Amino acid sequence: MSSSSMHSAPGMAASADVLSPQTAQARDDVRRAMRRLRSGQPTDIAEARSLAAQRRMLGTLMWAKARSVALYVGVRGELGTQALLQAAWQAEKTVWLPRVRPEASGLMDFAPCHGPEQLRPGPMGLLEPMDSLPGVGPEMGTDARHGAGHGAELPVFAPDIALLPGVAFDLAGGRLGYGGGYYDRFLEKGFNCPRVGLCFEFQLVASLPLAPWDQRVNYICTEERMLCL
């Protein structure tokens, strides 16, 4: 799904929910501006900010109480998640990570991953769960026990918290993604748990040009603060 094309809500039939050219342009402008800010960070500063945000998240009660977490592997200048992943695996939490479907544009699965040895490079350059691990897609609901195309038994897909990437977030919990709709399709189907947007402080703005299908978060965690929205 291109961010500059005519849009319909992810996971729904085409409808009259189409962005105006002005809104589509505004969204593209935000994406370009945020990419420039991210790429302009010196590597050591980006790493320090990432670690500070992760430590802030690790110090929360919701993280301490969570036994099952939905996470991501940060790439392309995103706020990193390595400390969170290591802490989750060491604490024997169930870690759900996304894996895109190459044959289905805009769709991904979440698969339980027990360590870095179960990751491999995906088609978009992301580290993803290995193909042999069964995953749950948005069409299966968040109480699914079986992965699509697999007979393997899965833990119930009901993460206690979901930590989400994004291009930008706003002070009302709005989230602007990369334009593919991967997370929005999942979020509209469930994630009935705290949704935490992880981002650098400069990715947090007063308001965003949101579309009707953009899904919101309940918390935002940066290197400087944790917001409850």
Side-chain angles (χ1 to χ4, degrees):
M1 183 183 299
S2 169
S3 60
S4 59
S5 62
M6 300 294 276
H7 296 17
S8 62
M12 300 174 63
S15 69
D17 288 331
V18 178
L19 293 183
S20 69
Q22 293 83 2
T23 300
Q25 183 63 55
R27 291 160 68 84
D28 286 343
D29 289 345
V30 172
R31 291 186 174 108
R32 279 193 294 271
M34 291 300 171
R35 288 190 182 104
R36 284 196 300 270
L37 289 171
R38 289 196 325 195
S39 63
Q41 292 188 101
T43 301
D44 57 339
I45 292 178
E47 290 176 352
R49 288 170 173 170
S50 288
L51 185 56
Q54 291 177 85
R55 285 176 173 168
R56 189 175 301 280
M57 187 69 228
L58 289 169
T60 64
L61 181 60
M62 70 175 119
W63 175 271
K65 294 174 63 176
R67 300 310 307 157
S68 177
V69 299
L71 258 167
Y72 66 94
V73 182
V75 294
R76 292 198 302 268
E78 287 178 338
L79 191 143
T81 56
Q82 194 57 41
L84 291 167
L85 288 166
Q86 290 179 350
W89 283 323
Q90 289 174 1
E92 299 185 344
K93 299 180 189 289
T94 300
V95 178
W96 296 88
L97 293 174
R99 180 179 61 212
V100 302
R101 299 184 192 175
E103 75 287 355
S105 177
L107 289 177
M108 67 182 183
D109 298 317
F110 270 89
C113 192
H114 301 291
E117 70 281 358
Q118 292 188 324
L119 297 174
R120 49 86 174 152
M124 299 174 66
L126 315 177
L127 283 177
E128 299 181 340
M130 297 169 59
D131 295 337
S132 59
L133 299 174
V136 174
E139 72 279 13
M140 300 175 68
T142 55
D143 60 351
R145 288 180 177 269
H146 295 278
H150 299 266
E153 187 78 7
L154 277 170
V156 175
F157 183 61
D160 297 309
I161 53 174
L163 285 79
L164 312 175
V167 172
F169 296 86
D170 70 23
L171 295 176
R175 173 187 175 273
L176 182 65
Y178 294 93
Y182 291 94
Y183 276 94
D184 289 323
R185 288 182 175 86
F186 243 103
L187 293 169
E188 73 173 355
K189 297 295 185 183
F191 274 137
N192 298 317
C193 64
R195 304 172 176 185
V196 183
L198 288 177
C199 67
F200 296 109
E201 181 69 22
F202 61 74
Q203 293 175 269
L204 180 57
V205 300
S207 63
L208 286 169
L210 297 177
W213 54 84
D214 286 326
Q215 300 293 307
R216 295 181 180 272
V217 297
N218 313 110
Y219 300 84
I220 297 173
C221 181
T222 78
E223 71 272 20
E224 295 185 10
R225 50 182 164 167
M226 168 74 81
L227 297 179
C228 177
L229 306 168

